[in-house]
Structure formats: C-alpha cells, structure tokens
Amino acid sequence: MADQRDTADRFLPRFDAAGLVTAIVTDASTGVLLMVAHMNADAIERTQATGKAHFWSRSRSALWRKGETSGNELTLVEMRVDCDQDAVLLRVRPAGPACHTGRRSCFYRRVEADGSLVFLDDDAHS
C-alpha cells in the first residue's frame, strides 16, 4: 500500500523509533560512496542551513559536523530522499578523506566468500 510520502512533493522524513534516518554520502563529482551515517531532524536542519554535512552520533548521542575536528568537511551539493523518505542521499564535495582512517571512503575493504577482507588498492590511505 502506498504511503503519502511515496508521491508527496514535500520533504516528510520517516524517522525510525530512535528519531533517525539513514544518510548515504557520495562524492558529487565522482559518485564514489564515501560513508553511511544517521541524521535526526536537527542534523537535517543544520545541514540544510549551513551547507555542511551534520550527523547524529549513535555512540556519543550527540550531533556532529563532519570535519569539525579533522577539517575534512563535506559541503552539500544536493540532498535527495528515497521513495518512502526513510533514507537520504547527500551528494557532497569532500575537503579531504571522508573516513576517520584517512581513506577517501569508509568502504575500502571487500568481503570475500570465506569471510576474509581484501583492502582495495583504489582507496589507499591518504
């Protein structure tokens, strides 16, 4: 059954029980997946107001702006929402690596069928 969010022309985020939506972050110029995080209403509002990506840290229970300590900010180019508005896509211009490890992307390892991890050459440590 279709929900009003499926065809709405208004942004009506469907937050989960914790008040969060999943945020997928990609590089606007290359399309590379940089990271996945979570946003609450405040993070969405601050991202839209400042043009800098803000997220909700589930581990710290706190709002944070990407790059506030590292300087590796994510400047918003475009925000999209999925069909039922429970996930957002942030297309950004990164000012340095997106991953706290210093890598361009948080997705720098491939999972093999045997459970081992292979580090990808195309996303080496900066």
Side-chain angles (χ1 to χ4, degrees):
M1 177 191 312
D3 182 281
Q4 70 171 357
R5 289 175 179 86
D6 296 341
T7 58
D9 64 354
R10 300 291 306 156
F11 185 39
L12 304 167
R14 184 188 314 239
F15 297 104
D16 67 12
L20 303 173
V21 294
T22 301
I24 302 155
V25 184
T26 63
D27 185 313
S29 61
T30 66
V32 168
L33 174 62
L34 299 176
M35 59 183 282
V36 174
H38 296 88
M39 298 176 88
N40 63 7
D42 288 340
I44 290 171
E45 180 181 319
R46 289 193 191 188
T47 297
Q48 291 176 313
T50 66
K52 304 295 181 186
H54 289 72
F55 303 101
W56 178 258
S57 170
R58 295 181 300 170
S59 61
R60 295 185 314 246
S61 295
L63 189 68
W64 61 284
R65 179 180 50 82
K66 177 67 176 143
E68 62 191 324
T69 57
S70 68
N72 298 328
E73 292 184 323
L74 301 174
T75 300
L76 184 66
V77 172
E78 177 182 52
M79 182 184 294
R80 296 183 184 186
V81 65
D82 76 333
C83 56
D84 57 0
Q85 299 202 38
D86 64 357
V88 294
L89 169 63
L90 303 183
R91 297 181 62 243
V92 301
R93 279 191 315 275
C99 185
H100 74 280
T101 65
R103 290 175 173 86
R104 172 179 57 142
S105 168
C106 293
F107 294 88
Y108 55 88
R109 298 173 289 186
R110 182 179 62 237
V111 179
E112 299 296 312
D114 67 0
S116 63
L117 297 176
V118 174
F119 286 76
L120 305 174
D121 291 338
D122 66 344
D123 202 35
H125 216 80
S126 297

